[in-house]
Amino acid sequence: MSRDHPLATVEALSLIALGGFAGATLRYATSTVLPGLSGTLVVNVVGSLLLGFFVYEQRFLGVFSGPMRLAITTGFLSSLTTYSTFAVQTALSPELALLNVVANYALGFTAVFVGRLLAKSLPGASVGTPEVES
């Protein structure tokens, strides 16, 4: 089936919806176990790690299919992580605002680099500099 066919769009939307359902459900479950700033920090860091892994897995190895990658990255991880909740919780917690911002960004970027290292360490992953997509 061609990627230009209308059913390809239905397939992509369905995969994003399924991934989004799973990600939102996991985020909700996390917020019941770790309410407030800590739960949001956990989902944002875990999401950053996984997104870093999947982005760099594509560049270094490319095993996962486009539809699978779409379901995981755009669907699941986009629903798992939350910038809006992070922003609102930060604004509502002025005594912890600076610490929360630093923790989310520092740990989030660190998690992306850890995801990159994990992807690069997979058997068969290219060890050179990944090509930049245009």
Side-chain angles (χ1 to χ4, degrees), residues 23-24 26-28 30-31 36-48 76-90 100 104-105:
L26 182 57
R27 177 155 59 105
Y28 174 74
T30 302
S31 72
L37 299 174
S38 60
T40 302
L41 177 63
V42 167
V43 295
N44 285 341
V45 171
V46 170
S48 296
F76 180 76
L77 294 176
S78 293
S79 294
L80 176 66
T81 60
T82 174
Y83 180 80
S84 57
T85 302
F86 156 69
V88 169
Q89 288 176 338
T90 300
N100 193 45
N104 270 274
Y105 281 102

Side-chain angles (χ1 to χ4, degrees), residues 53-123:
F53 174 81
F54 280 101
V55 166
Y56 283 104
E57 184 282 330
Q58 180 182 18
R59 291 186 176 200
F60 293 132
L61 196 59
V63 171
F64 294 109
S65 69
M68 175 70 147
R69 190 174 312 282
L70 190 65
I72 293 172
T73 58
T74 304
F76 180 76
L77 294 176
S78 293
S79 294
L80 176 66
T81 60
T82 174
Y83 180 80
S84 57
T85 302
F86 156 69
V88 169
Q89 288 176 338
T90 300
L92 292 174
S93 305
E95 67 284 351
L96 296 172
L98 180 60
L99 178 63
N100 193 45
V101 169
V102 170
N104 270 274
Y105 281 102
L107 294 175
F109 281 112
T110 301
V112 170
F113 289 119
V114 171
R116 181 182 188 272
L117 288 173
L118 291 173
K120 198 171 184 177
S121 69
L122 292 173

